[in-house]
Amino acid sequence: TDWCPKCQAIEPHLNLLALAHSSKAKFFLVNIDTNIETASEYGVDDASQLPKLLCFSGDDKTSESID
């Protein structure tokens, strides 16, 4: 998201991880402005909670990280 400097800072690193692990993992970027329901479902109610990284195994959330 353009207005989230921390998100912009980690995005290139996540893109590299996505390329390196494309056969084992999927990476998704969710715009909380346009995907309000999804953001709320995962506990992101405002920009102070960004960036938020979630890890899943199948449909189960295994960990999360907030900077």
Side-chain angles (χ1 to χ4, degrees):
T1 307
D2 293 341
W3 48 263
C4 177
K6 290 181 184 179
C7 299
Q8 290 176 333
I10 67 167
E11 187 174 3
H13 303 284
L14 292 175
N15 288 338
L16 288 174
L17 285 170
L19 286 172
H21 301 284
S22 63
S23 65
K24 298 177 185 174
K26 295 179 183 177
F27 290 75
F28 299 93
L29 172 66
V30 176
N31 183 323
I32 67 166
D33 291 328
T34 57
N35 297 287
I36 298 165
E37 247 182 70
T38 302
S40 181
E41 180 180 347
Y42 292 107
V44 180
D45 299 313
D46 62 60
S48 69
Q49 298 169 311
L50 296 177
K52 185 169 191 172
L53 305 175
L54 304 172
C55 297
F56 292 83
S57 179
D59 291 336
D60 301 320
K61 182 172 67 167
T62 59
S63 65
E64 68 179 70
S65 173
I66 302 174
D67 183 47

